[in-house]
Amino acid sequence: MVNMKIDHFVVGPVETNCYFVTNMKTKELIIIDPGACAKQLSQKIEQLGVKPVAILLTHGHFDHATDAKPLADKYGIKIYIHEADKETLDDPQLNASWMMGQSKTFHADVFLKDQQELDIAGFHIIVIHTPGHTPGGCCYYFPYEDVIFTGDSLFCGSIGRTDFKKGSMSDLVRSVKEKVMTLPGNTDVYPGHNDTTTIDNERMYNPYL
């Protein structure tokens, strides 16, 4: 098991959770969902004395993806997202930037597949495709640390919105039930908004599951 440190920052107009996942031995950093505040996040990186090596996006909505490219360019690192959200990044109607009165497109370098396994910063990561909030919504599961980052697929006591274009309540509930709720109960869940939880807690109290 790698010595993992998770730092949590709330960024942007809809209070999105951005996470820093650091390997404390190597000081390598994975950034998850930097939806805004690139300047402030860069300052935190300098203060922590860590080295960014990758950016993981749980999906392509503006509040999770907006400041990924500025950070990727600054540190010379790649942005990862599930392949089914390429269209979300490319379309302001799908990435919801239109809701802020803007028409933006976003960038990724690496397009992932369901159950693809990654080794980044000394961590082993499994990509779990959980469509429904967006077509390419996914979770990043760190099995050796008992941690999962669920984006807007699973929240504490809830699941993500499915009223966006190309959203699907049935897809989201099914994918979370079949792929996420089967994980060990002691798995810590770090969602895209609001509080952390555990798989056991969601099995017991989440009304959607």
Side-chain angles (χ1 to χ4, degrees):
M1 181 183 295
V2 176
N3 185 4
M4 171 190 280
K5 179 173 182 278
I6 299 173
D7 292 292
H8 166 220
F9 308 97
V10 178
V11 301
V14 291
E15 298 187 333
T16 302
N17 291 336
C18 171
Y19 298 103
F20 284 6
V21 183
T22 303
N23 179 330
M24 293 303 292
K25 182 175 181 180
T26 66
K27 297 297 184 181
E28 291 176 305
L29 167 69
I30 299 170
I31 305 170
I32 299 178
D33 287 349
C37 303
K39 181 179 178 181
Q40 291 88 340
L41 293 174
S42 293
Q43 291 171 347
K44 277 291 180 185
I45 289 167
E46 306 309 319
Q47 291 171 8
L48 293 168
V50 293
K51 178 186 176 183
V53 295
I55 294 172
L56 305 183
L57 299 180
T58 59
H59 62 290
H61 280 162
F62 79 93
D63 58 313
H64 293 254
T66 293
D67 276 7
K69 192 171 190 305
L71 288 168
D73 289 347
K74 180 178 177 67
Y75 295 104
I77 59 178
K78 292 182 178 179
I79 303 167
Y80 296 70
I81 197 169
H82 189 273
E83 62 184 357
D85 251 14
K86 185 179 189 305
E87 186 182 5
T88 305
L89 295 174
D90 292 339
D91 185 339
Q93 289 294 316
L94 295 180
N95 66 43
S97 59
W98 66 272
M99 295 177 67
M100 305 304 291
Q102 299 174 329
S103 181
K104 290 188 173 183
T105 61
F106 305 113
H107 171 80
D109 303 289
V110 181
F111 293 93
L112 304 166
K113 298 182 182 298
D114 186 32
Q115 299 301 313
Q116 185 169 342
E117 299 188 20
L118 308 171
D119 290 290
I120 304 174
F123 297 110
H124 187 67
I125 306 164
I126 300 173
V127 179
I128 302 176
H129 184 211
T130 50
H133 180 67
T134 65
C138 72
C139 304
Y140 296 101
Y141 176 45
F142 292 63
Y144 299 118
E145 286 73 34
D146 295 315
V147 166
I148 188 168
F149 297 88
T150 56
D152 289 3
S153 294
L154 175 65
F155 298 131
C156 180
S158 188
I159 58 173
R161 287 176 59 176
T162 57
D163 56 336
F164 294 111
K165 188 177 179 181
K166 295 202 174 183
S168 169
M169 173 69 80
S170 60
D171 284 353
L172 184 57
V173 170
R174 181 171 57 252
S175 60
V176 170
K177 276 186 174 180
E178 294 179 356
K179 296 181 176 180
V180 179
M181 300 313 293
T182 55
L183 298 177
N186 65 333
T187 303
D188 290 319
V189 176
Y190 290 82
H193 300 273
N194 302 320
D195 297 332
T196 57
T197 182
T198 65
I199 294 296
D200 266 345
N201 191 68
E202 297 315 298
R203 284 177 184 152
M204 189 172 297
Y205 297 112
N206 194 312
Y208 295 91
L209 304 171

